[in-house]
Amino acid sequence: EKLMKKSGNINNSFIRLIIIIGISMLLIIIISVLTFDDRTIDVLSQLNFYYFFLLLITWFGLRAMDAFSLLLYSRGFSKEVTILRAFRAVTIRIFGNIITPFNFGGQPLVIHELTKYKLSYGNGYSIVFNKLFIYTCINTVGGIISFFIYKEQIHYFPGVSIIFLISGILTVILATL
């Protein structure tokens, strides 16, 4: 009976995956048809796919490190969180961040996902909050260092220093809340 239930879940997941891929392909086709012209061919012919491939590898590497850190944080609370389950939680967070404003919508989804693996909501919140706080601190310090390293180049682009200032202030405010 458990095998049948698991098989049904795999079938449902596969059908959902096919639907998502189909909708994505349809949207790509619609956008391509509506925006494709001679300039598109010119730009695509100049595109270096080596850098795109490196970007893709880097992105997956970052997601894997994110999943691994989630796995390490959760080990103190539950042994049921595996690397694949942590990766699933990371991808759920990304989806939640994409569909909600201010890039924080995925955090409650991660907490909910972690409760499926015998973590309480409090422990899940603690894990997500600690990860988010450390991430915010690292980004703030990195932004400040980048501002001082590239301050000469930033002045060539009007408005960028204002964006740096506004994002820095908002980050500090959000980190202290």
Side-chain angles (χ1 to χ4, degrees):
E1 187 173 311
K2 283 187 177 183
L3 183 62
M4 292 292 288
K5 186 177 180 182
K6 192 170 192 170
S7 175
N9 288 341
I10 292 171
N11 288 339
N12 287 340
S13 296
F14 184 72
I15 290 171
R16 287 185 202 141
L17 179 65
I18 295 297
I19 291 171
I20 289 171
I21 290 172
I23 291 171
S24 298
M25 294 302 294
L26 181 66
L27 289 173
I28 289 171
I29 291 169
I30 290 171
I31 291 170
S32 297
V33 166
L34 295 176
T35 61
F36 198 84
D37 62 5
D38 293 335
R39 294 177 296 175
T40 309
I41 295 172
D42 199 31
V43 168
L44 288 176
S45 67
Q46 296 174 10
L47 191 64
N48 188 345
F49 285 100
Y50 173 75
Y51 292 111
F52 180 73
F53 182 69
L54 282 178
L55 176 70
L56 197 60
I57 289 173
T58 303
W59 189 84
F60 276 111
L62 289 172
R63 298 297 71 109
M65 288 190 314
D66 195 9
F68 188 67
S69 70
L70 185 64
L71 175 70
L72 291 178
Y73 274 114
S74 63
R75 280 293 166 187
F77 300 112
S78 173
K79 301 291 185 204
E80 289 202 18
V81 179
T82 63
I83 190 68
L84 292 176
R85 289 175 173 175
F87 196 80
R88 175 183 163 95
V90 166
T91 55
I92 288 171
R93 188 200 73 231
I94 293 169
F95 175 74
N97 288 347
I98 290 170
I99 63 171
T100 57
F102 305 116
N103 210 17
F104 289 110
Q107 312 317 321
L109 296 176
V110 172
I111 296 169
H112 179 69
E113 182 68 18
L114 290 175
T115 61
K116 295 178 181 178
Y117 312 123
K118 295 188 178 176
L119 271 89
S120 68
Y121 279 100
N123 291 340
Y125 174 80
S126 173
I127 291 168
V128 170
F129 178 79
N130 284 329
K131 278 182 51 76
L132 188 62
F133 183 75
I134 290 171
Y135 180 75
T136 302
C137 291
I138 289 171
N139 281 341
T140 302
V141 170
I144 292 169
I145 291 170
S146 297
F147 182 75
F148 285 113
I149 290 174
Y150 298 108
K151 66 181 174 184
E152 299 300 323
Q153 289 87 358
I154 289 173
H155 294 295
Y156 291 116
F157 303 100
V160 172
S161 57
I162 294 170
I163 292 172
F164 256 98
L165 180 65
I166 292 171
S167 65
I169 291 170
L170 287 175
T171 302
V172 169
I173 290 171
L174 288 173
T176 56
L177 290 180

